[in-house]
Amino acid sequence: MSPDSHAIETMLLEERRYEPPPEFAAQANAQPDLYERDWRELWETEGRERLTWFQPFTELLEWEPPYARWYVGGTLNVCFNCVDRHVEAGNGDKVAYHWEGEPAGERYALTFAELQREVVRFANALRGLGVAKGTPVAIYMGMVPELPIAMLACARLGAPHTVVFGGFSADALADRVNDMGCEVLVTQDEGWRRGTPVPLKRNADEALESCPSVGRVVVLQRTGSAVSMRQGRDVSWQDAVSGQPDDSASCPCEPMDAEDLLYLLYTSGTTAKPKGIVHTTAGYLVGVATTHHYVFDVKPDSVYWCAADIGWVTGHSYIVYGPLCNGTTGVLYEGTPDYPDKDRWWEIVERYRVDILYTAPTAIRAHMKWGPEYAQRHDLSSLRLLGSVGEPINPEAWRWYREHIGGDRTPIVDTWWQTETGMILITPLPGVTTLKPGSATKPFPGVDAAVYDERGNEVGPGAGGYLVLRRPWPAMLRGIHNAHDRYVETYWSRYGDVYFAGDGARVDEDGDFWLLGRVDDVMNVSGHRISTIEVESALVDHPHVAEAAVCGRADPQTGQAIVAYVTLKGAEEGSVAMLEELRDHVARKIGPIAKPANVVFTPELPKTRSGKIMRRLLRDVAEQRALGDTTTLADPTVVEEIQQRAEAEKSAE
Ligand code: WT7
């Protein structure tokens, strides 16, 4: 095959297979016939049966590319579906969230009936502050129960929200508030992170200096520290809700059109002005609730834990809206996995007998780096399903997760999706799908995904190319807020009426999808287009490696040469011998072409606040350029450290 016949070449082959355990298959929510359903019939049935409507929809879909309208004519309320109807059905005593604060011993359970009362009280409070249907509200909080309560209160009133991740800075908050024109901000005094208070209100005050649209601010007292309160603008949550009625009739759920705005969520990628991704009401809720039911095999007595932050789409869809719509009991944890010690997550799994755990490869690799002994301190036998999202998962991390967390027993669902897609789109169905470590396997039933070359032809089995979606899906974005041209250009200009996801992928002979990372990260070595994930996975395959990131740097001979940044397990330091060993290991796993020209050992990799490796910055380091935009970086000191180590590696050459 000539190097240029494929958009991306793929070379790393993973041979391990995991058949669904028969006992799991027998009881699974998803059965093989789900794949045989006609996509219109599937979404129509799910829409009708999974949600409670005020007015039924009259048409499933109106598709005028690049804009879709789903469940046309239907009216409903998201809060009613997530809260009220469960109480009305007699499930008010069921736990909605087991909340676990970061400081030792702070925990309580919130039932659906209590959740309803809290939501109603807060919705009444918001009304008192002038919030009505259509009023945009910003929410800037940590992982406290009042965060989903605030989101649901907005949904109850028909007020669209934007949740801004509590780890974002004042500037990031101001950009989002201003883009949406928010009139009210809900925040808290401080949050907890690894034992240290995060000054949310102070950041909010700084942001609000440049946010003229915000007239009122609600401040939850979480840590109880004194914060400045501006007279006439700021009110404490506790004062705002005191005396408010909490019966549902005092604040009925606003009937919303299927296509009314539910929320904006800003996604920055790794560069450029954040995009306000538009998610609407009915299609979004059908999409997230349906996938939550089948992909996570949730049962009425499940204790489900998605360990993401609600500030990301993962939390919106799979901590708040999907699980609550399905009446599921969830876990909500405020803090970091290593506080007070590195077994905190496993203590939580044991305490609540969690049966479904959903997290990200970056977290799995952190646990891998710390070692399995922390998980071994706890009884994890309640777990029956594990999930992964956010990045391609390296096969070794997949195997570690299954062995040390899943007791070599649990299926793992590697779920591919995006802020833009709203819902999981490529995923195994546990109990149906044969799993391959590193593959997200098949499009969810009803979803039409494919891999195209540069010219828009579908590429054959084994060849790499660009991931596209050829048919609308209910939770798809309805645009970018106030940016039609950017919407068209980013997602719909490359292949006409086909959605371009921006990810590389290949499909194997069995029709299984292997995600190859963002298209911008692909390297070109001697005319071979090589994906970063394959070289990284070959490195992580080495028993001493916990985590690796690779990128290309300009090279006069080969066009680009591969630079690898490697974190070893435990506290091991790199050596020249290890460096050679790793280069040989990659050559053996993939081929000499993929051998890194340089290896830099580093205790940490630069990541976005959502845990994605920022290869763009590694390219800057590798090419000894001034660093590009670092505002989305979680910990800026990491890059400085890597720069120093890269210098040292150069001078040792
Ligand atoms: C990008 C979307 C989806 C919720 C969290 C991230 C990457 C996501 C996978 C996966 C390989 C994945 C893609 C995608 N990604 N899940 N299972 N395998 N890559 O949402 O911040 O919008 O990021 O994350 O590159 O495009 P997001």
Side-chain angles (χ1 to χ4, degrees):
M1 255 176 283
S2 82
D4 54 7
S5 65
H6 298 315
I8 304 170
E9 290 185 58
T10 69
M11 292 166 265
L12 186 69
L13 294 178
E14 170 59 53
E15 300 290 349
R16 287 164 286 202
R17 302 283 180 275
Y18 297 80
E19 299 294 334
E23 324 76 70
F24 197 107
Q27 59 84 63
N29 292 352
Q31 293 297 323
D33 61 355
L34 202 58
Y35 283 116
E36 281 147 38
R37 304 265 295 269
D38 168 74
W39 66 274
R40 286 180 177 274
E41 177 277 319
L42 175 72
W43 292 125
E44 191 154 335
T45 308
E46 290 292 339
R48 224 178 317 102
E49 295 177 359
R50 199 167 289 285
L51 301 194
T52 304
W53 298 83
F54 296 154
Q55 285 292 326
F57 56 93
T58 50
E59 202 187 332
L60 176 69
L61 169 67
E62 256 176 41
W63 175 222
E64 282 169 32
Y67 291 101
R69 295 167 51 79
W70 283 83
Y71 305 104
V72 181
T75 64
L76 72 167
N77 183 283
V78 167
C79 181
F80 183 81
N81 276 276
C82 290
V83 184
D84 295 58
R85 66 171 177 157
H86 303 312
V87 179
E88 288 178 12
N91 293 321
D93 291 338
K94 184 171 179 180
V95 174
Y97 290 119
H98 291 288
W99 180 70
E100 171 107 2
E102 192 184 80
E106 282 194 42
R107 66 181 72 102
Y108 62 84
L110 191 70
T111 65
F112 277 96
E114 289 163 337
L115 179 63
Q116 184 184 38
R117 287 197 290 274
E118 295 304 322
V119 168
V120 169
R121 269 170 17 120
F122 192 61
N124 276 321
L126 285 177
R127 275 208 300 203
L129 298 173
V131 175
K133 183 174 177 172
T135 310
V137 175
I139 306 176
Y140 179 58
M141 301 180 90
M143 287 284 284
V144 289
E146 288 81 359
L147 168 51
I149 288 168
M151 295 162 76
L152 292 161
C154 288
R156 189 175 195 91
L157 299 172
H161 61 67
T162 191
V163 176
V164 180
F165 171 55
F168 274 134
S169 64
D171 281 353
L173 174 60
D175 285 348
R176 289 156 176 77
V177 165
N178 287 331
D179 189 75
M180 193 177 184
C182 297
E183 294 174 26
V184 171
L185 171 69
V186 184
T187 186
Q188 62 190 67
D189 50 8
E190 296 172 320
W192 282 120
R193 190 182 160 75
R194 201 171 283 119
T196 308
V198 181
L200 292 167
K201 177 61 161 64
R202 201 175 71 207
N203 294 345
D205 282 338
E206 195 185 321
L208 291 179
E209 280 170 29
S210 54
C211 298
S213 58
V214 175
R216 301 305 306 261
V217 179
V218 183
V219 186
L220 173 78
Q221 282 169 277
R222 163 64 187 111
T223 64
S225 285
V227 291
S228 81
M229 295 288 281
R230 181 181 295 183
Q231 271 267 306
R233 185 192 73 180
D234 301 352
V235 56
S236 83
W237 176 297
Q238 284 81 353
D239 287 347
V241 298
S242 97
Q244 296 290 355
D246 64 6
D247 62 298
S248 60
S250 70
C251 185
C253 292
E254 187 73 32
M256 302 298 286
D257 184 85
E259 282 298 334
D260 276 336
L261 178 61
L262 178 62
Y263 68 78
L264 297 183
L265 185 60
Y266 287 83
T267 173
S268 49
T270 49
T271 44
K273 179 178 158 16
K275 305 186 276 272
I277 301 300
V278 175
H279 283 297
T280 60
T281 300
Y284 175 77
L285 197 60
V286 175
V288 298
T290 304
T291 47
H292 179 255
H293 175 77
Y294 291 115
V295 173
F296 297 111
D297 196 50
V298 183
K299 306 298 186 202
D301 61 351
S302 280
V303 180
Y304 159 88
W305 184 17
C306 168
D309 193 287
I310 292 176
W312 310 120
V313 75
T314 308
H316 282 61
S317 298
Y318 297 109
I319 298 178
V320 182
Y321 293 119
L324 292 180
C325 187
N326 289 332
T328 304
T329 296
V331 172
L332 203 61
Y333 170 53
E334 183 181 37
T336 60
D338 53 350
Y339 188 85
D341 200 356
K342 300 183 174 69
D343 67 340
R344 184 65 187 268
W345 274 19
W346 317 125
E347 182 191 316
I348 292 173
V349 167
E350 180 174 19
R351 174 171 307 122
Y352 302 107
R353 307 285 305 152
V354 170
D355 63 329
I356 305 160
L357 175 68
Y358 189 32
T359 183
T362 181
I364 298 162
R365 292 188 305 253
H367 288 292
M368 240 171 107
K369 186 161 87 177
W370 297 332
E373 53 272 25
Y374 297 99
Q376 282 155 10
R377 288 185 198 162
H378 297 278
D379 174 8
L380 306 184
S381 61
S382 56
L383 290 169
R384 60 183 189 91
L385 181 70
L386 302 176
S388 171
V389 61
E391 284 179 288
I393 179 166
N394 318 100
E396 266 326 290
W398 194 103
R399 301 228 328 125
W400 190 96
Y401 192 27
R402 175 171 159 113
E403 181 181 337
H404 294 289
I405 308 306
D408 241 336
R409 173 187 80 243
T410 58
I412 297 180
V413 288
D414 173 4
T415 62
W416 178 90
W417 58 296
Q418 308 176 299
T419 305
E420 293 87 338
T421 71
M423 61 187 259
I424 293 169
L425 291 187
I426 304 181
T427 178
L429 293 179
V432 178
T433 311
T434 298
L435 306 174
K436 301 175 184 174
S439 170
T441 71
K442 302 274 194 301
F444 187 81
V447 171
D448 182 13
V451 176
Y452 280 7
D453 68 12
E454 306 275 1
R455 285 181 292 274
N457 303 311
E458 194 166 352
V459 302
Y466 304 108
L467 180 65
V468 298
L469 300 163
R470 297 187 290 201
R471 181 193 292 152
W473 61 99
M476 70 190 286
L477 74 171
R478 304 298 199 265
I480 302 174
H481 182 60
N482 282 341
H484 168 79
D485 292 348
R486 194 173 176 200
Y487 175 58
V488 173
E489 192 195 305
T490 310
Y491 308 108
W492 304 97
S493 59
R494 200 182 272 235
Y495 302 120
D497 295 346
V498 164
Y499 176 87
F500 171 68
D503 280 354
R506 79 179 149 95
V507 181
D508 67 18
E509 319 67 48
D510 303 324
D512 285 319
F513 284 68
W514 298 76
L515 278 304
L516 300 174
R518 302 296 297 169
V519 167
D520 316 337
D521 290 335
V522 171
M523 304 171 291
N524 193 326
V525 182
S526 306
H528 299 268
R529 309 243 311 146
I530 299 174
S531 82
T532 52
I533 181 64
E534 293 197 318
V535 182
E536 288 162 7
S537 290
L539 287 162
V540 176
D541 181 74
H542 188 281
H544 289 237
V545 175
E547 188 156 43
V550 306
C551 66
R553 67 159 163 76
D555 181 279
Q557 261 88 51
T558 56
Q560 277 193 320
I562 299 178
V563 184
Y565 300 84
V566 173
T567 305
L568 297 174
K569 284 184 186 159
E572 189 176 336
E573 284 283 326
S575 63
V576 177
M578 178 58 75
L579 186 155
E580 283 309 325
E581 206 176 307
L582 293 179
R583 298 182 65 215
D584 291 344
H585 193 74
V586 173
R588 241 189 343 271
K589 293 291 291 187
I590 303 182
I593 184 82
K595 217 167 159 168
N598 311 83
V599 178
V600 179
F601 293 100
T602 169
E604 297 288 342
L605 295 171
K607 297 196 181 150
T608 63
R609 290 182 178 79
S610 64
K612 290 194 210 303
I613 296 168
M614 284 181 78
R615 294 182 189 76
R616 177 174 60 75
L617 288 182
L618 293 174
R619 283 197 291 273
D620 291 344
V621 173
E623 305 204 322
Q624 296 171 295
R625 273 196 303 263
L627 297 182
D629 185 5
T630 54
T631 47
T632 54
L633 201 59
D635 177 1
T637 62
V638 172
V639 198
E640 289 159 27
E641 164 103 26
I642 291 176
Q643 275 176 315
Q644 284 163 14
R645 287 173 180 255
E647 288 296 320
E649 196 258 352
K650 272 232 124 14
S651 47
E653 253 174 28

